[in-house]
């Protein structure tokens, strides 16, 4: 075809003045997130149901605290290893398969507990359960990142974390009642049933948010970047969030928070019974005050960092979390410690959603579950290191010194947080609210095409009013 004929075939062209962009369906996003939160709440309730039963069942099998410690360590190590692997899979094959597989394995593990007749079986099943829970969280947080707008990401992260916390608060109470009334099999059957209902709900109502089309588009983009040589020699580093100093600070904060909790909370259990001579009702009241403040705070205050910024809310939350340990070091009054526990719960309710939302803010879209898996690993590593330190130091450190150290550490964590998180961070991935660069490029390409056509056949160009 001649150049003249090619020009003549352009026909009548209308110059575009804007590009229509499809907005995310807010109703659908809200429905997916609410259903996901309900599914997670039911699952963690089932998880919490069996927590008070392990020690009693181990005593029946002739074992004690050593095996319980092995179960705790095996759970944390399995979650530490499984979380990043599950995150990679969730980015590659989608969130839904990982969520469904985790829920199905959760049901199977609880059925296995019913038939377990040795401590070795309990330790192995607990490790599998750690891998299951460690795999579930990166995928669910990936769903939040996929469908929640960036200006309400912390809000929905708080709702999801509130559902997790509510299950962990409610579950042990239900488990204790079932054990006393019906024996040790009942809590495990109830937990398996809760998991089965969660699995059915996820199958029916939780759709894939990282679709095959999205994954293929990102694969083609990555292939193009590799062909251009942009990622040669540094495949892993390019998948990490930017700025790296902020990502490293977030991992450190998550590790230290879990480390302090693991170190001080075990000491607190013995302290309130042996030194303060509390009853189980009083200790339950302390835990309930903390739990209610944390759950309600995550649901009601999770959105604060969306409006006030991640850094200031994280720092405020870190300072507030030190209240309970400072209270244990300074007071023996039950009402004072209840108040301190509520302040700590509210502080965690502020800090945790903001921390998770900041991970998602700075992570490329195609690597979000992978990064949340790394986050989960840092949390589990802290959960192992804290109790191990307490075991080593228990012979020479006093409860008072442990609480002072915990309070100081939590408050001091605000210093590196202030130094690194005060900088303004931007998401580097393409988000629903940050997709403007792609639209701008498309708009520019379209205007370039129209300009070329106008220069060739100006008589066929019309610009709408």
């Amino acid at each position: 075809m001649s150049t003249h004929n090619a020009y003549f075939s352009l026909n009548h062209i209308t110059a575009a003045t804007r590009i229509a962009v499809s907005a995310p369906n807010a109703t659908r996003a809200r429905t997916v997130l609410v259903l996901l939160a309900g599914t997670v709440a039911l699952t963690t309730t089932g998880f919490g149901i069996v927590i008070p039963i392990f020690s009693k069942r181990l005593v029946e099998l002739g074992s004690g605290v050593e095996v319980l410690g092995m179960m705790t360590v095996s759970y944390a190590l399995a979650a530490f290893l499984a979380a990043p692997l599950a995150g990679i899979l969730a980015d590659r094959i989608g969130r839904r398969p990982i969520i469904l597989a985790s829920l199905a394995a959760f049901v199977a593990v609880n059925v296995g507990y019913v038939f377990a007749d040795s401590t070795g079986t309990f330790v192995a099943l607990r490790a599998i359960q750690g891998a299951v829970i460690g795999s579930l969280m990166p995928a669910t947080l990936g769903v939040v990142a996929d469908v929640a707008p960036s200006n309400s990401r912390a809000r929905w992260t708080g709702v999801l974390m509130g559902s997790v916390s509510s299950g962990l608060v409610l579950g042990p109470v239900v488990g204790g009642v079932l054990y006393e009334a019906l024996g040790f099999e009942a809590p495990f059957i109830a937990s398996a049933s809760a998991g089965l209902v969660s699995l059915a709900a996820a199958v029916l109502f939780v759709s894939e948010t990282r679709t095959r089309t999205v994954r293929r588009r990102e694969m083609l983009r990555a292939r193009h970047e590799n062909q251009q040589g942009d990622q040669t020699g540094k495949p892993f580093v390019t998948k990490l969030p930017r700025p790296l100093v902020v990502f490293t600070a977030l991992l450190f904060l998550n590790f230290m928070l879990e480390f302090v909790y693991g170190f001080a909370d075990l000491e607190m259990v013995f302290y309130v019974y042996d030194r303060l001579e509390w009853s189980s009702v009083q200790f339950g009241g302390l835990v309930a005050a903390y739990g209610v403040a944390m759950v309600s705070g995550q649901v009601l205050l999770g959105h604060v960092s969306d409006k006030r910024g991640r850094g200031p809310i994280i720092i405020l939350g870190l300072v507030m979390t030190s209240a309970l340990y400072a209270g244990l070091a300074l007071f023996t009054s039950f009402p004072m410690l209840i108040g301190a526990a509520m302040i700590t719960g509210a502080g965690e309710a502020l800090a945790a959603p903001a921390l998770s939302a900041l991970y998602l803010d700075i992570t490329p879209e195609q690597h979000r579950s992978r990064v949340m898996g790394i986050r989960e690993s840092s949390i589990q590593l802290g959960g192992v290191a804290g109790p191990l330190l307490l075991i080593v130091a228990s012979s020479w450190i006093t409860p008072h010194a442990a609480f002072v150290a915990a309070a100081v550490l939590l408050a001091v964590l605000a210093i590196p947080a202030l130094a690194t998180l005060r900088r303004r961070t931007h998401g580097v991935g393409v988000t629903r609210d940050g997709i403007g660069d792609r639209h701008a490029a498309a708009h520019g390409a379209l205007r370039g095409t129209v300009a070329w056509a106008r220069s060739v056949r100006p008589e066929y160009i019309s610009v709408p009013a």
Side-chain angles (χ1 to χ4, degrees):
M1 179 182 293
S2 67
T3 304
H4 175 76
N5 290 335
Y7 292 161
F8 187 77
S9 66
L10 286 172
N11 209 329
H12 188 84
I13 299 175
T14 299
T17 58
R18 65 184 179 87
I19 295 179
V21 179
S22 60
N25 188 321
T27 301
R28 176 183 175 275
R30 184 163 48 250
T31 300
V32 169
L33 292 170
V34 169
L35 289 171
L36 182 65
T39 300
V40 170
L42 195 56
T43 304
T44 53
T45 300
F47 176 80
I49 284 174
V50 302
I51 290 177
I53 313 305
F54 288 130
S55 59
K56 296 180 181 294
R57 181 57 177 161
L58 290 175
V59 170
E60 294 176 1
L61 295 174
S63 301
V65 68
E66 296 84 3
V67 175
L68 188 61
M70 291 174 59
M71 291 178 63
T72 301
V73 172
S74 67
Y75 173 92
L77 288 178
F80 169 77
L81 295 173
L85 297 177
I88 293 172
L89 284 175
D91 285 332
R92 288 185 178 177
I93 66 175
R95 322 299 192 200
R96 193 169 185 266
I98 303 302
I99 292 173
L100 297 182
S102 298
L103 294 175
F106 179 81
V107 175
V109 167
N110 280 284
V111 172
Y113 281 135
V114 176
F115 299 100
D117 57 359
S118 68
T119 56
T121 305
F122 267 91
V123 173
L125 288 172
R126 188 63 171 163
I128 296 173
Q129 194 171 46
V132 168
I133 299 300
S135 300
L136 182 62
M137 290 312 297
T140 54
L141 287 170
V143 172
V144 174
D146 292 339
V147 301
S150 60
N151 61 359
S152 62
R153 189 171 287 154
R155 172 195 172 195
W156 286 108
T157 302
V159 170
L160 184 66
M161 290 185 168
S163 68
V164 172
S165 301
S166 63
L168 294 177
V169 171
L170 179 62
V173 177
V174 176
V177 172
L178 289 174
Y179 176 83
E180 295 296 336
L182 302 173
F184 91 92
E185 296 95 345
F188 296 118
I189 293 174
S191 181
S193 300
L196 190 60
V197 174
S198 296
L199 176 60
V203 169
L204 294 174
F205 303 117
V206 178
S207 58
E208 179 59 66
T209 58
R210 184 170 169 78
T211 62
R212 184 177 181 180
T213 301
V214 172
R215 300 195 303 271
R216 179 165 178 78
R217 182 193 70 205
E218 291 172 354
M219 181 188 69
L220 293 173
R221 183 194 305 156
R223 183 182 301 172
H224 173 73
E225 291 174 352
N226 286 330
Q227 290 173 348
Q228 296 297 319
D230 295 338
Q231 298 188 24
T232 304
K234 50 176 183 177
F236 177 73
V237 174
T238 57
K239 298 170 184 174
L240 296 178
R242 295 292 191 275
L244 278 176
V245 64
V246 175
F247 177 55
T248 304
L250 293 176
L251 292 176
F252 175 73
L253 290 175
N254 275 127
F255 170 83
M256 288 302 299
L257 282 170
E258 201 65 24
F259 172 82
V260 171
Y261 296 155
F263 176 77
D265 286 359
L266 291 178
E267 188 71 68
M268 178 180 65
V269 173
F270 293 99
Y271 175 75
V272 297
Y273 284 133
D274 298 339
R275 301 289 184 89
L276 301 184
E277 298 181 347
W278 280 10
S279 66
S280 59
V281 174
Q282 286 178 298
F283 182 62
L286 183 75
V287 174
Y290 166 81
V292 169
M294 180 176 62
V295 172
S296 59
Q298 285 174 334
V299 174
L300 299 176
L301 302 178
H303 68 283
V304 174
S305 71
D306 290 327
K307 298 180 179 179
R308 303 296 182 183
R310 313 293 190 211
I313 300 304
I314 291 171
I315 293 168
L316 175 61
L318 290 173
V319 174
M320 291 174 64
T321 55
S322 65
L324 177 58
Y325 304 114
L328 287 166
L330 297 173
F331 311 118
T332 59
S333 167
F334 179 69
M336 293 289 289
L337 291 177
I338 288 290
M342 295 182 71
I343 294 174
T344 293
E348 186 167 348
L350 288 172
L355 280 168
S356 294
L358 185 51
Y359 277 106
L360 299 175
D361 289 343
I362 65 174
T363 302
E365 179 181 353
Q366 65 270 31
H367 302 310
R368 282 170 176 163
S369 283
R370 178 198 303 260
V371 168
M372 298 314 287
I374 297 173
R375 162 193 170 272
E376 187 70 19
S377 290
S378 71
I379 292 173
Q380 296 300 334
L381 188 61
V384 172
L388 288 178
L389 177 61
L390 181 62
I391 293 172
V392 173
S394 59
S395 60
W396 53 268
I397 192 170
T398 65
H400 183 272
F403 298 142
V404 170
V408 170
L409 275 174
L410 288 172
V412 167
L413 283 178
I415 297 176
L418 180 64
T420 56
L421 304 184
R422 66 183 177 182
R423 66 178 62 195
R424 187 179 178 184
T425 55
H426 301 277
V428 294
V430 180
T431 65
R432 294 188 181 275
D433 290 338
I435 205 167
D437 289 343
R438 182 186 299 165
H439 296 155
H443 202 171
L446 180 60
R447 285 189 177 277
T449 301
V450 172
W452 171 79
R454 180 184 285 117
S455 67
V456 175
R457 305 288 289 181
E459 65 272 22
Y460 289 117
I461 304 297
S462 65
V463 178

